[in-house]
Amino acid sequence: MTVPARRSWWGWGSVADELSPAETKALVARTEALLPGHDFTDHPPPDPADLPIPPPRIQPPPALTGLCSPDPHDRLAHARGKAFRDVVRNLHGDVTHVPDLVARPRTEQDVIDLLDWCTDATIPVIPYGGGSSVVGGIEPRFDSPAIALDLQHLDQVLEVDRTSRAARIQAGTYGPALESQLRPHGLTLRHFPQSFAYSTLGGWLATRAGGHFATLYTHIDDLTESLRVITPAGTGETRRLPGSGAGPSPDRLFLGSEGTLGVITEAWMRLRDRPRWQTTCSVSFTDYPAAVAATRALAQSGLHPSNCRLLDPAEAFLSTATTVDGGLLIVAFESADHPVDAWLARAVEITAGHGGTVLSTRHRGEETTDSAGSWRSAFLRMPYQRDALARRAMIVETFETACTWDRFETLHAAITDAAHQALTAIRGAGLISCRFTHVYPDGPAPYYSVYAPGRWGSTVAQWDEIKHAVSEAIIDNGGTITHHHAVGRDHRPWYDRQRPDPFAAALRAAKHALDPAGILNPGVLLSGESPLAQLDTPSPR
Amino acid sequence: MTVPARRSWWGWGSVADELSPAETKALVARTEALLPGHDFTDHPPPDPADLPIPPPRIQPPPALTGLCSPDPHDRLAHARGKAFRDVVRNLHGDVTHVPDLVARPRTEQDVIDLLDWCTDATIPVIPYGGGSSVVGGIEPRFDSPAIALDLQHLDQVLEVDRTSRAARIQAGTYGPALESQLRPHGLTLRHFPQSFAYSTLGGWLATRAGGHFATLYTHIDDLTESLRVITPAGTGETRRLPGSGAGPSPDRLFLGSEGTLGVITEAWMRLRDRPRWQTTCSVSFTDYPAAVAATRALAQSGLHPSNCRLLDPAEAFLSTATTVDGGLLIVAFESADHPVDAWLARAVEITAGHGGTVLSTRHRGEETTDSAGSWRSAFLRMPYQRDALARRAMIVETFETACTWDRFETLHAAITDAAHQALTAIRGAGLISCRFTHVYPDGPAPYYSVYAPGRWGSTVAQWDEIKHAVSEAIIDNGGTITHHHAVGRDHRPWYDRQRPDPFAAALRAAKHALDPAGILNPGVLLSGESPLAQLDTPSPR
């Protein structure tokens, strides 16, 4: 079992990586400079031993007892994901909706046995990967008993096909363990979501996670060759195929199903050779629309940069300490096969045509002292900073979407307007920044960060107001409620509006066929089709 | 209405494009040289006026009479697709399973009204695009009455979004009409299946058609931004999104549904600028495994060639008159943004590393006198040649699959062995050739052509023997029963073995939810879930 060491029960990541006192002090000072007058009193997390966690209301049959942990702290650590609202509720010692048991299957047969028991006893089961959901995806937000099905023991790369560059990997494998098992073969998945160290392959697949590549292979979907899924109605495995036209894609039904149709136990994943050439370039713009136009031209150029992240001025300042008037575009190319100079040269030409100025260019192996390098380090520290600020009554959260290029300007204005109005209603201050995490020929995936001084005790409700306002703006202006964070329970009301009725009917029918007792992650994606229907009410809060 | 002029009722394409007597004579002479001793007597098609086409068994309600044609020749022309076995059955004047009516809706409301009538009266409806199915996809292979729903009047590009490079296009639009409506905007879909002139957008979407691009955007799936679908249970339209992670992809359920879940009436399609730079290069090999290895290296290089077609020696000779010992690889790059010299140079380096020799390189605008150019012209003439030979008791047909690279050698050997054994059992002669139509980092999509002297009156049964043998080899050796020809009725037995049970259950449930009367294209993809269950028996012949 290779899981990250000593996870924080209340906040992001591992205890060892929390901000140091010096880092915290510097962060608070920086934040205070931007948002003066806020009360930065620290509200440390409670001792979990003091929390009134109720005993389990269910007991496994004897054969499954060894797989099921009734330990209160174990259950507490599986009670919710790692969104801002999750962290703050933890800080407040809110212990509603703690699962009754944490089940840890060691084999596929264990998964089958557990699902059989839960089907017979009508007990909701929440498939659990790394627990890094930021959308309420793993929280038993209902009153009935529940089991968290933690796949962490299914953590092996089982088979490697060097010729086809693919590997059969168990779903409970965490990012770093996955990469370290592939490294001896010279192969890599190169799927690096921000949650990489604290999330698993199965979680990525179930939520259509977005990864490293800003173009082409943006979602884990595109890296998936075949899936093995255990449903209450039986087990199935798709063929390993590089491409197929035999009916609707079976994998695409389970990708993004968020644990509602079955438990993904294994997948054959498409890999690549480790890159030998890498070049990253930062380009500044004095004008945001010009920066957007340059990014669009790059996305439509057929150059397929591995990175193509446009930071708006606020984002550039906050995460790279670079001051730009219009935007900072980070463009990278990488290859295991050939130097990428011709690609970068043309990319720079394109950005220059839109008024971009190259700030720095860095090649593989060179030191990362430029703004692109700063951005990368900041990216991985962000969740820890979020937690330090959350303890100090700051509202710090993100949300994301995607839209076609023709709609971006309107959507972006509607989102920022809605966020500012909501911020004003709350307290009158706050900051919203935007970056593109992924870009396509037909549109960008904008990702927003919100920083606002809140009132201790109310920051969850305050954030919920903001989230409601921006989600309305997204759905009313042609965006998707999520490009890669998934639907979970938090996005349900807007997902329900986004999803066409015939597809909802088809999905509901498929769910009923595969999970007739409706035990699998009730309340996520679907409502009202199961004996557990009363658990399925969309509930964003 | 822009449909191709004067279609052949019995064979491929348009009457005007049939082989000339001189072309036919040359073709027969070439074929005779390869397969001496065959009886090349011509069996011309019957006069359709002489065929005993039974009158319609159903009558539309008065409001729909104007949309429905009972004309026997119209119905005959909609009775089957354009596979070898379809053409030969036409030549024999076999008029079983002619649809009772051809309905031609002019609006979406017409489609809704027609589906409502058919649902109420339990009449099977077969959505019909260009009628170019080669897998029995549009043939009412059952005894009940049936309606062909021909969408040819829904043939407009309705909206163009130049910024996002996308257009809203009606499903009944034929390839050439689609491109000619996009040309004034400087845009192109660049989806060029062999059937391009005789197939429609809706048909491509419903069957997951494979197109022009040998890498990356291989299937129409990847060019689809959103779909509008009318089902008996209601109409739905997905959002225009460049990417999304909001639940399982709704579009992917309808892509490849082959008319069983609903009628696709419109789609927003991702377009591109018309290419300015194009370079095509032919590379010969003296050794087939080395040619395969070179192709794999190219597919894994990240260069993303627009064409990357490996012809084996037989295929190279038959379609380009080029003699090679190991294989002929046609590699092309194209771009609207930049010269592609750096890309081609690296591709040539890769092939040279595997013993490849460049035969010719051609740039955009240069005359196409080389083997790559010959291949392109031959490609479009192939179906007409097939028809001329089918009239002369030759068995001429193709089939295709895809597999991971590690399995290709075994699969290829199993397929060619099975084909040769079947050919031997039939007559003792024949030829099988192979090309890769598309390649992926994790595997190729091999496409086979079979040429064999048959016995007039038995060529369909003889072909069916061969098809059965190679399909068994495909399914037993890790291939897909179709990479881009679709499932239809002909591939059902093997599709049923390939498809995992839970996905079959999910699809069946989805079908029942959207098409409760089971009227939509019964017998394709699914069995036994409808009042029309008796029509759904897999029937490969």
Side-chain angles (χ1 to χ4, degrees), chain A residues 330-457:
Chain A
I330 299 171
V331 185
F333 292 92
E334 62 176 50
S335 174
D337 179 75
H338 48 261
V340 290
D341 309 81
W343 283 248
L344 185 72
R346 176 57 192 149
V348 167
E349 251 177 47
I350 290 172
T351 57
H354 292 270
T357 308
V358 173
L359 293 185
S360 65
T361 304
R362 175 165 50 83
H363 299 283
R364 184 181 171 77
E366 291 175 11
E367 261 199 275
T368 60
T369 53
D370 58 0
S371 42
S374 323
W375 184 81
R376 174 103 202 123
S377 338
F379 179 63
L380 295 174
R381 295 302 282 160
M382 278 172 200
Y384 294 104
Q385 298 180 345
R386 188 265 322 253
D387 291 353
L389 294 173
R391 287 166 59 149
R392 290 161 178 85
M394 287 284 297
I395 298 163
V396 184
E397 186 52 301
T398 63
F399 60 92
E400 37 88 66
T401 184
C403 64
T404 47
W405 288 110
D406 63 317
R407 287 174 184 173
F408 172 67
E409 196 181 326
T410 309
L411 176 69
H412 183 61
I415 287 173
T416 48
D417 281 1
H420 284 131
Q421 277 175 35
L423 288 169
T424 305
I426 292 165
R427 187 78 176 248
L431 214 147
I432 177 165
S433 68
C434 177
R435 65 178 187 266
F436 294 167
T437 55
H438 304 82
V439 291
Y440 302 85
D442 52 339
Y447 191 106
Y448 295 87
S449 300
V450 174
Y451 306 83
R455 197 171 51 251
W456 185 249

Side-chain angles (χ1 to χ4, degrees), chain A residues 425-486:
Chain A
I426 292 165
R427 187 78 176 248
L431 214 147
I432 177 165
S433 68
C434 177
R435 65 178 187 266
F436 294 167
T437 55
H438 304 82
V439 291
Y440 302 85
D442 52 339
Y447 191 106
Y448 295 87
S449 300
V450 174
Y451 306 83
R455 197 171 51 251
W456 185 249
S458 302
T459 54
V460 167
Q462 291 177 320
W463 164 248
D464 285 346
E465 290 300 322
I466 301 167
K467 175 73 177 179
H468 183 89
V470 297
S471 298
E472 291 288 314
I474 286 171
I475 291 301
D476 291 346
N477 288 278
T480 171
I481 193 59
T482 176
H483 172 266
H484 63 271
H485 277 175

